[in-house]
Amino acid sequence: MLLILVTKESNRLMTEKILEVDNLTTSFDTEEGTVRAVNNISFSIEEGETMGIVGESGSGKSVTALSVMRLIESNGSIENGTIHYRGSNLLEKTESEIQSIRGSEISMVFQDTLDSLNPVYTIGTQINRVIRKHRDMDNKEAREETIRLLEQVGIPNAEERIDDYPHQFSGGMRQRALIAMAISCNPSVLIADEPTTALDVTIEAQIFEVLDKIQHETGMSIIVITHDLGVVAGVCDFVNVMYGGEIVEKSKTDDIFGDPQHPYTRGLLRSIPRIGKEEDRLRGIEGNVPNPAALPSGCTFHPRCPHATDECRQHDPSLQEVKRNHRAACIHIDGYKSLHKEDKEIIINDRKKGESDD
Amino acid sequence: MLSVYKYIIKRSLLAIPTLLGVSMIIFGMLYLAPGGPVEVMMSSQPASAEQIQDIRQQLNLDEPIYVQYGDWAWDALHGELGRSWSITQGTAVNDLIIQRIPLTAELALLSMILAIAIGIPAGIIGAVYQDQIADHAARVVALSGISIPDFWLGIMLIVVFGVQFQISWASGSWIPLSESVTGNLKHLIFPVITLGTAYSGLIARMMRSEMLDALNGGYIRTAQAMGISNRTIVFRDAAKNAFIPVLTVIGIGLARLMNGALLTETVFNLPGIGQLLVTSIARRDYRVIQGIVLFVAVIFIVSNIIVDVLYAYLDPRIRLSGGD
């Protein structure tokens, strides 16, 4: 019994932190002054895990992803922090070193916009060159590999469609092609930035099915960036909730949905409409995402928070452990039970109702 | 690629009404000229009413305008643009134009090659180093190219190199390619610089703005995330997309140059189509003017078709269809 426990524990230790981001701060020079789009955030991901970064637009989640890829636009810079991939700091790599990591070790899938693939080259050409850049293959081998990849992501008639141009593909097919390109060199980490936002729900499910299948086959880690809590619930092992450039809550997916701590997370959860529940209108969070150029003092969420006190206006709370593997940045967490009892009841009732509806 | 042929045929058929309209307008000039073309032609020398009447009869000017037009158009349809009325009297307009084509075509091609050679790299540099010193330098060069009138630049080149430095080929007469290749090219250096810089500015500005657009494209970000090198991204991904609209400017520019650069040919005394047009206008040689303008119209239509076909070749989103 003891032996089993020990082996289990050592196994746990064996699993490598494949990507570790510590105290990352990314800022941009804009006309309104220096803007901190990402402010002192940390997270890490292990092999084979799926992590979610969830937040409204403007919360800094895409900038986080682009920082990891070192693809921040020229008016922006990573001010502080480290990004360790397999133990070495990506921020210390030269441009050519980082180019050999991008696409082959850490890869990224963007939301399919009409121009996320180059309109003047065929799908095959575009995937082919990524393969030849990172893998030791000649043109013919790379073409066969491209066909295999297109089949893997579920494109029918891949042998013919490889010579199509992007405009001949539907949105869902283009997204699949983008995934095929991103996984073409067996990356260890795949960052998917709103990979299904442009697609309808059926296609969304198919896309995540494809990603899930590939993850099982290759053991890659996936970071899903989304504003959609439904996506998080469906695919992520654990979640980081971002607001105003900071991570305000992080935990396992089940805990976020079952026992949300931060008022913002709770607001997000309550804003999900439930099928079968009669509601006159959608419940959202009052107010707007703060302008990153003029973040509120103290806790960035306080202007929208129903529980804000004077303390919130002065102190910027850091993440604190609520329980094992669950942290949130709210000074009211200790007194959570008494202060937010009402809220909690609403959520629990909502969930019960949702379950009984199912 | 059958559709390409279909497309060309369709476009050519559509060109017929255009050409018909153009030919009517240019023929109408003859009718509108005060006192009639013969009076204008003979205004420099005293001529009796009888002499004028003689010439009018010779040139069929007594017929009603629609009959004259019909005759001329019928001949033009058969590739026969009539005969010159003036000092080069009797020479077929076809021959006059054909004689001038080699020089004008050579000048147009070389100027456009120079313009592309300067304009495309300048545009790319401007976009890649946006708002940096290289961009500003490229912008100053481009704007100077656009702003400086070509006849002025031509005259300045002659004054500086021909007059000051006594370079014989900086001005003076042109030598046909068949006589001496180097002599011919030497004489074209300054005309080509004059015309090339003007178009290079235009191409550079256009290329720069198209490159900036292209570099903001989502596919650039995708390529970057796949570890593709910046050089490849600029030259293969962005430049190909940016070049497509620039092709229109090049095509139309080449067509315009093919119609003869009036001022440059005059300044450098080059016997091209432009110079022929200028002298024909001075001599009221309507047949030649009509012939040249019709030639111009045909060149424009043909070059537009070529540009469209190239467009479809470069941009797969544009599909040529012969039908609908």
Side-chain angles (χ1 to χ4, degrees):
Chain A
M1 182 67 187
L2 192 70
L3 192 73
I4 296 168
L5 266 175
V6 169
T7 23
K8 241 186 161 180
E9 195 62 32
S10 62
N11 263 344
R12 246 179 57 80
L13 287 171
M14 287 283 285
T15 35
E16 202 187 348
K17 291 271 187 227
I18 198 141
L19 187 73
E20 278 186 279
V21 173
D22 286 302
N23 307 318
L24 177 73
T25 300
T26 304
S27 60
F28 290 88
D29 284 325
T30 68
E31 284 169 7
E32 293 172 80
T34 305
V35 168
R36 281 204 175 146
V38 169
N39 196 358
N40 199 23
I41 68 166
S42 305
F43 60 83
S44 63
I45 183 166
E46 289 174 14
E47 231 178 278
E49 272 184 331
T50 302
M51 182 187 94
I53 299 180
V54 66
E56 292 167 279
S57 34
S59 60
K61 53 195 196 305
S62 287
V63 175
T64 304
L66 293 172
S67 299
V68 172
M69 297 298 287
R70 289 243 331 247
L71 283 175
I72 297 298
E73 280 171 46
S74 56
N75 66 333
S77 65
I78 296 170
E79 224 176 83
N80 190 25
T82 55
I83 301 170
H84 281 93
Y85 170 73
R86 291 193 190 277
S88 68
N89 190 353
L90 293 181
L91 300 182
E92 286 163 4
K93 304 266 182 215
T94 63
E95 183 61 24
S96 76
E97 283 172 335
I98 202 82
Q99 274 173 13
S100 66
I101 290 173
R102 281 184 205 139
S104 75
E105 304 283 332
I106 306 175
S107 199
M108 189 157 175
V109 179
F110 295 96
Q111 178 181 344
D112 169 63
T113 50
L114 266 175
D115 69 346
S116 45
L117 285 161
N118 197 327
V120 300
Y121 295 110
T122 61
I123 302 279
T125 310
Q126 295 183 56
I127 298 176
N128 195 310
R129 72 168 181 177
V130 177
I131 296 173
R132 278 190 296 157
K133 158 102 193 177
H134 297 294
R135 294 168 73 175
D136 189 23
M137 280 192 183
D138 63 25
N139 192 25
K140 198 169 164 259
E141 289 167 325
R143 188 180 162 87
E144 278 161 18
E145 178 68 2
T146 304
I147 293 171
R148 188 190 68 75
L149 285 161
L150 290 175
E151 279 167 355
Q152 191 180 9
V153 296
I155 288 176
N157 276 339
E159 258 169 77
E160 287 164 32
R161 309 280 338 230
I162 184 174
D163 293 318
D164 277 359
Y165 287 93
H167 72 273
Q168 291 166 296
F169 270 39
S170 67
M173 299 259 278
R174 274 199 303 272
Q175 193 69 65
R176 284 165 202 260
L178 282 165
I179 291 171
M181 190 192 288
I183 61 160
S184 63
C185 302
N186 302 319
S188 303
V189 179
L190 180 73
I191 304 175
D193 188 357
E194 303 274 7
T196 56
T197 304
L199 306 171
D200 62 57
V201 200
T202 343
I203 311 287
E204 177 176 80
Q206 290 171 4
I207 295 285
F208 279 115
E209 233 167 74
V210 165
L211 283 175
D212 193 52
K213 196 183 80 185
I214 296 161
Q215 188 175 33
H216 274 294
E217 286 164 13
T218 65
M220 69 177 174
S221 313
I222 302 179
I223 300 177
V224 179
I225 290 170
T226 181
H227 64 272
D228 187 346
L229 281 166
V231 167
V232 171
V235 300
C236 295
D237 299 320
F238 64 101
V239 197
N240 295 284
V241 180
M242 279 191 82
Y243 185 82
E246 293 171 352
I247 293 177
V248 295
E249 182 158 4
K250 62 194 309 171
S251 80
K252 287 186 171 170
T253 307
D254 291 346
D255 290 343
I256 283 273
F257 284 92
D259 191 14
Q261 298 290 315
H262 197 281
Y264 176 64
T265 315
R266 292 204 302 274
L268 275 184
L269 286 166
R270 280 169 61 183
S271 66
I272 303 175
R274 283 180 199 284
I275 295 172
K277 190 176 168 190
E278 272 183 48
E279 259 171 320
D280 291 340
R281 57 189 182 91
L282 292 175
R283 269 188 293 179
I285 305 171
E286 301 259 321
N288 290 311
V289 184
N291 174 4
L295 286 176
S297 64
C299 171
T300 45
F301 187 60
H302 85 252
R304 299 171 76 183
C305 184
H307 314 296
T309 57
D310 280 342
E311 219 184 332
C312 297
R313 291 178 191 96
Q314 284 153 18
H315 292 287
D316 189 8
S318 56
L319 282 170
Q320 39 185 306
E321 194 115 292
V322 183
K323 52 185 186 184
R324 199 176 142 79
N325 289 328
H326 191 158
R327 296 195 287 162
C330 177
I331 53 169
H332 295 306
I333 282 171
D334 284 337
Y336 167 65
K337 277 199 175 109
S338 56
L339 200 90
H340 305 318
K341 202 174 171 203
E342 224 176 288
D343 254 354
K344 203 174 174 186
E345 272 166 5
I346 293 173
I347 294 161
I348 290 167
N349 288 339
D350 274 3
R351 286 184 62 82
K352 273 185 187 155
K353 205 156 182 212
E355 277 157 19
S356 63
D357 287 342
D358 286 343
Chain B
M1 279 269 103
L2 190 72
S3 65
V4 175
Y5 298 118
K6 264 177 145 180
Y7 176 79
I8 292 171
I9 290 165
K10 185 180 153 199
R11 282 292 305 264
S12 307
L13 289 175
L14 282 171
I16 292 173
T18 314
L19 282 175
L20 206 66
V22 168
S23 68
M24 282 180 183
I25 291 166
I26 56 180
F27 203 84
M29 294 189 310
L30 186 143
Y31 192 66
L32 292 171
V38 181
E39 282 84 348
V40 180
M41 270 163 59
M42 306 301 273
S43 60
S44 55
Q45 36 191 303
S48 66
E50 271 170 34
Q51 275 177 310
I52 288 175
Q53 192 52 39
D54 264 7
I55 294 170
R56 285 184 68 87
Q57 241 162 17
Q58 265 181 34
L59 298 176
N60 268 350
L61 291 176
D62 285 343
E63 304 280 351
I65 181 85
Y66 57 86
V67 175
Q68 291 180 42
Y69 173 75
D71 286 349
W72 177 78
W74 184 250
D75 284 346
L77 201 62
H78 292 81
E80 183 59 57
L81 295 170
R83 292 183 177 278
S84 165
W85 292 352
S86 68
I87 297 168
T88 40
Q89 224 167 49
T91 316
V93 174
N94 290 23
D95 293 344
L96 282 173
I97 292 176
I98 288 165
Q99 276 169 22
R100 311 284 176 132
I101 286 178
L103 169 60
T104 296
E106 192 187 356
L107 185 61
L109 271 178
L110 291 177
S111 304
M112 197 42 85
I113 288 168
L114 179 72
I116 293 169
I118 298 172
I120 298 289
I124 293 175
I125 289 169
V128 172
Y129 300 101
Q130 190 189 2
D131 294 330
Q132 295 172 33
I133 292 168
D135 181 26
H136 296 312
R139 178 181 299 142
V140 168
V141 173
L143 286 177
S144 319
I146 297 171
S147 320
I148 295 172
D150 50 0
F151 66 89
W152 183 85
L153 181 61
I155 292 168
M156 281 302 126
L157 288 171
I158 291 173
V159 167
V160 172
F161 293 96
V163 180
Q164 289 300 119
F165 294 124
Q166 298 285 321
I167 297 171
S168 62
W169 40 265
S171 56
S173 52
W174 166 78
I175 302 165
L177 200 61
S178 51
E179 271 177 39
S180 158
V181 175
T182 48
N184 168 282
L185 289 177
K186 264 201 233 168
H187 277 97
L188 285 180
I189 288 176
F190 289 110
V192 164
I193 290 174
T194 306
L195 287 173
T197 47
Y199 279 97
S200 71
L202 210 61
I203 292 171
R205 296 304 293 159
M206 180 103 181
M207 188 68 188
R208 180 182 178 273
S209 73
E210 292 297 332
M211 272 300 279
L212 285 177
D213 255 17
L215 286 171
N216 276 325
Y219 52 88
I220 299 296
R221 210 185 35 184
T222 305
Q224 284 174 330
M226 293 303 121
I228 306 295
S229 70
N230 290 334
R231 172 189 290 263
T232 313
I233 287 173
V234 168
F235 290 106
R236 266 183 67 87
D237 293 64
K240 191 175 176 187
N241 278 282
F243 182 70
I244 294 168
V246 177
L247 186 71
T248 317
V249 176
I250 293 173
I252 291 171
L254 202 58
R256 282 178 62 181
L257 285 169
M258 266 307 288
N259 300 324
L262 304 191
L263 292 166
T264 308
E265 285 182 6
T266 309
V267 166
F268 286 98
N269 192 26
L270 296 171
I273 287 180
Q275 204 193 43
L276 177 66
L277 184 62
V278 171
T279 48
S280 306
I281 291 169
R283 290 172 187 157
R284 305 296 194 275
D285 198 339
Y286 283 89
R287 275 291 176 270
V288 180
I289 301 170
Q290 286 161 354
I292 292 174
V293 178
L294 196 65
F295 171 75
V296 165
V298 172
I299 290 278
F300 259 102
I301 287 163
V302 170
S303 61
N304 266 319
I305 295 174
I306 293 171
V307 166
D308 283 350
V309 171
L310 281 177
Y311 233 94
Y313 173 73
L314 286 174
D315 190 344
R317 283 166 297 182
I318 298 167
R319 283 175 63 201
L320 299 180
S321 57
D324 76 80

